[in-house]
Amino acid sequence: MSVQAAKHARQLLLKEYRGVLSTHSKAMPGFPFGSAVPYCLSEEGWPLILISRIAQHTKNLQADPRCSLLVAERGAEDVQATGRLTMLAEAVPLTDETAVEAAAARYYRYFPESRDYHRVHDFDFWVLQPVRWRYIGGFGAIHWLEQVALANPFARAGGGEGEMLDHMNQDHSAAIAHYAQVAGLPPDPTARMVGIDSEGFHLSIGQSIHWLAFPDSCTSPGTVRQALVAMARR
């Protein structure tokens, strides 16, 4: 049961791309402070966020890195009958230049409008390192989970994600449009594939991010290719 719950929790984390970040208020000690943040997942499968140095939640995290991220299914008519995930975490700022460059390359694929924030407007990348997870899959489906995140074998240097994305976006736009159509997503000639992990891939359509699952888990670029070909033939 916990293995299945962890998979559903991870899929929810992958399917969504924004959540409520709650920090310990520095201005009002003892009170939680919530704010909305977009995120994508790091190489480790942890939420990666880009936040302003002058934002209240940044000041809070600098004083106390303990926080939580609440992620819920978008567009749900009854939020209590659908999935939601609370991730208890410690926030860590990225300071190493190589790590910042890797984070920037990944984050701006998902959110290109934020490309110059951390340079022009004093924004910094932080990663939320999980401590524990609380997943609710609907009425009565409640789980405390120790392990949800799954490292992305393709996101690390030399893992092949960038090359696979370039290949799909440059040479297989028709296949990308087909994936979106089969998934019931809105048609958009500018749709792009922005991320690949072992369990699926992310499409950017307009201002939204959508995650589509592979038929089976993939462990190499070769198995990713096989999965994408199979999905294109549906």
Side-chain angles (χ1 to χ4, degrees):
M1 179 64 74
S2 61
V3 172
Q4 194 71 4
K7 180 179 180 178
H8 291 162
R10 183 169 59 253
Q11 288 180 340
L12 176 58
L13 193 66
L14 285 160
K15 288 177 180 177
E16 302 306 325
Y17 59 97
R18 51 197 173 193
V20 176
L21 175 68
S22 293
T23 57
H24 293 270
S25 177
K26 182 180 178 181
M28 298 286 291
F31 286 88
F33 181 87
S35 52
V37 293
Y39 70 88
C40 64
L41 298 186
S42 69
E43 173 186 333
E44 298 85 2
W46 304 339
L48 173 68
I49 61 176
L50 179 64
I51 54 178
S52 169
R53 295 174 191 171
I54 63 173
Q56 188 63 57
H57 49 224
T58 302
K59 296 176 181 178
N60 294 342
L61 290 175
Q62 290 170 338
D64 188 336
R66 295 175 298 171
C67 61
S68 71
L69 182 72
L70 169 65
V71 177
E73 291 183 27
R74 73 187 89 168
E77 294 185 3
D78 184 352
V79 296
Q80 291 187 322
T82 54
R84 59 262 196 205
L85 176 67
T86 298
M87 172 189 174
L88 305 181
E90 292 191 2
V92 178
L94 299 185
T95 56
D96 176 77
E97 184 175 348
T98 300
V100 170
E101 289 178 357
R106 183 165 194 81
Y107 190 89
Y108 295 139
R109 288 204 308 266
Y110 285 78
F111 309 107
E113 68 281 0
S114 301
R115 185 171 300 276
D116 294 321
Y117 280 10
H118 78 285
R119 294 186 178 92
V120 179
H121 299 293
D122 291 330
F123 276 60
D124 293 309
F125 289 103
W126 294 63
V127 67
L128 306 184
Q129 295 185 354
V131 174
R132 205 176 183 198
W133 312 75
R134 178 74 163 180
Y135 174 65
I136 302 177
F139 289 116
I142 302 171
H143 307 270
W144 276 109
L145 302 169
E146 303 299 327
Q147 180 59 40
V148 169
L150 186 65
N152 185 340
F154 311 120
R156 64 179 182 272
E161 184 182 32
E163 292 80 1
M164 289 188 285
L165 293 173
D166 288 343
H167 174 67
M168 291 301 300
N169 289 321
Q170 293 171 11
D171 301 332
H172 296 287
S173 57
I176 291 174
H178 178 72
Y179 301 146
Q181 179 186 25
V182 171
L185 300 176
D188 188 333
T190 66
R192 293 180 60 80
M193 191 176 292
V194 296
I196 299 175
D197 59 86
S198 61
E199 297 177 298
F201 59 90
H202 282 104
L203 295 181
S204 173
I205 301 179
Q207 297 295 312
S208 298
I209 304 294
H210 303 271
W211 183 78
L212 304 182
F214 289 139
D216 298 293
S217 182
C218 296
T219 57
S220 68
T223 54
V224 169
R225 180 183 181 279
Q226 293 173 2
L228 292 172
V229 169
M231 294 174 72
R233 291 174 176 170
R234 288 180 180 173

